[in-house]
Amino acid sequence: MDVSGAGGWDEAPWKKLCAEELEKQYTPSKWTVRLGAEETLKTFSQIGSQATSKARATRRSQLHVPYGDGKGDKIDIYFPDVASEAWPFLVFVHGGYWQYGSKDESAFMVNPLTAQGVAVVVVAYDIAPKGTLDQMVDQVARSTVFVQKRYPCNEGIYLCGHSAGAHLAAMMLLTNWTKHGVTPNLRGFLLISGIYDLEPIVSTSVNAPLHMTLEGARRNSPQWHLEAAPVKPADPACPVLVIVGQHDSPEFHRQSREFYQTLCTRGWKASFEELHDVDHFEIIWNLTQEDDVLNQIILKTIFQKDPQPSSTPESLQS
Ligand SMILES: N[C@@H](CC(=O)c1ccccc1NC=O)C(=O)O
């Protein structure tokens, strides 16, 4: 009989890995195939910064909008050209192991998605050491509630996160919205190369600025919550896409697959997608391209049909 609680944690496969291997499994830049680790990280941040400058220069936007009283409680909102407030909203939560990255270099998908009529919100949250995991989860919840309150006519809020940001977005599957006074019109989750069980992270160098205890890791693990006390989907029709890159590490693959499987058994409308020939970083920086396969998946999720080619191709815009 399994007496270890939520589904056999003592037999978790990562516990068989030595410290060095565990560290490698949770270092995404060690698994890239085209560029070296350092060059990949540099390129990721460069492409993110360039995409953000371009979005701010070419799209109507409201930047550094406060969603709360905290200094770090800010979002950037990028608008489609159509004058309406009844847009679908993609709310993007950046990654960076809860300790680096910012909204100011994370507007990867803004130009391709706003061109198709999707408003994009890029969320800032207080990374460690300033913020704790609990605070970051609360910030993402409050930013989502803010979008709902400011745009009550929205055509759906789609929560999208990358890596640590996918973890923060996934925590919104478990959020009790009653204390926030409004339930956001969540119509989809796009979880890209994420981590859903934080327990292995506690034993890696990633935890140095996070100071997570085992209890804190469980409290902030959507995988653990779903297994321990299954939360019924508020809207069983709300799609949850769990997406991983072919060149993500085996542990990242395992985390995504197991989270997807658990979502399915708990009644969520989950799907799983492994994107061909991309690593942990390319999967996001490719979103700057209109014809990117992940952009097509996002648009299909939002509009439930294949997108029309835009009348003014990105390449012809200044
Ligand atoms: N130190 C990590 C970097 C990393 O994990 C990362 C970097 C940018 C965006 C997301 C990341 N991973 C998870 O949030 C590495 O070398 O792979």
Side-chain angles (χ1 to χ4, degrees):
M1 193 179 108
D2 172 25
V3 289
S4 59
W9 293 90
D10 289 341
E11 291 86 50
W14 63 268
K15 290 192 173 169
K16 298 188 184 74
L17 303 176
C18 67
E20 197 189 340
E21 181 59 24
L22 191 67
E23 190 70 25
K24 184 177 172 198
Q25 290 284 337
Y26 283 97
T27 307
S29 63
K30 289 223 158 107
W31 301 84
T32 59
V33 293
R34 268 166 287 271
L35 303 175
E38 245 175 71
E39 182 126 41
T40 297
L41 293 171
K42 210 171 95 194
T43 306
F44 183 75
S45 137
Q46 270 171 359
I47 293 178
S49 298
Q50 279 164 8
T52 306
S53 300
K54 183 178 172 187
R56 290 177 178 180
T58 60
R59 292 298 191 249
R60 193 164 68 83
S61 64
Q62 290 176 2
L63 305 178
H64 323 302
V65 178
Y67 60 81
D69 294 335
K71 198 163 170 274
D73 294 350
K74 300 286 187 316
I75 50 174
D76 292 339
I77 314 173
Y78 298 91
F79 302 100
D81 289 333
V82 274
S84 150
E85 293 207 340
W87 307 290
F89 283 75
L90 182 106
V91 174
F92 181 64
V93 187
H94 70 77
Y97 266 155
W98 310 276
Q99 53 201 274
Y100 29 75
S102 81
K103 70 173 174 55
D104 301 315
E105 51 178 22
S106 300
F108 297 94
M109 70 298 289
V110 166
N111 280 55
L113 292 187
T114 50
Q116 297 287 342
V118 179
V120 179
V121 172
V122 186
V123 179
Y125 54 93
D126 287 317
I127 54 177
K130 184 167 188 255
T132 63
L133 255 295
D134 296 279
Q135 287 166 339
M136 295 179 223
V137 170
D138 187 57
Q139 284 180 298
V140 173
R142 287 189 289 108
S143 64
T144 308
V145 163
F146 177 85
V147 172
Q148 178 63 34
K149 286 183 176 165
R150 190 167 170 122
Y151 302 100
C153 299
N154 71 73
E155 291 272 308
I157 297 177
Y158 295 82
L159 266 177
C160 175
H162 170 231
S163 197
H167 158 265
L168 294 170
M171 286 297 283
M172 300 305 111
L173 293 163
L174 310 161
T175 301
N176 180 349
W177 300 102
T178 45
K179 78 161 182 177
H180 295 280
V182 67
T183 301
N185 182 22
L186 288 170
R187 290 295 165 92
F189 287 81
L190 296 130
L191 309 175
I192 305 162
S193 294
I195 297 172
Y196 310 101
D197 171 14
L198 302 191
E199 201 180 324
I201 296 289
V202 176
S203 311
T204 69
S205 65
V206 174
N207 198 34
L210 301 174
H211 306 296
M212 268 192 300
T213 60
L214 188 55
E215 198 216 335
R218 283 188 176 170
R219 186 171 62 246
N220 286 300
S221 290
Q223 177 73 33
W224 192 84
H225 281 282
L226 281 186
E227 291 192 16
V231 182
K232 277 227 176 75
D235 174 9
C238 177
V240 183
L241 280 72
V242 183
I243 299 161
V244 68
Q246 184 186 340
H247 304 306
D248 264 309
S249 77
E251 267 293 287
F252 272 72
H253 276 257
R254 182 186 66 79
Q255 288 242 0
S256 282
R257 207 178 335 99
E258 291 188 3
F259 190 54
Y260 156 72
Q261 285 164 348
T262 307
L263 285 167
C264 289
T265 60
R266 300 301 190 259
W268 296 82
K269 191 184 162 198
S271 58
F272 179 83
E273 194 103 38
E274 176 185 318
L275 293 195
H276 177 66
D277 200 24
V278 286
D279 63 37
H280 192 78
F281 306 94
E282 293 164 331
I283 200 169
I284 292 299
W285 83 46
N286 286 349
L287 287 171
T288 55
Q289 306 304 310
E290 241 175 47
D291 59 356
D292 172 51
V293 61
L294 183 50
N295 267 329
Q296 304 310 308
I297 291 172
I298 293 172
L299 289 168
K300 204 167 166 181
T301 304
I302 295 176
F303 295 112
Q304 303 296 320
K305 58 180 163 50
D306 292 317
Q308 302 298 311
S310 65
S311 52
T312 317
E314 192 72 29
S315 53
L316 297 181
Q317 292 177 5
S318 58

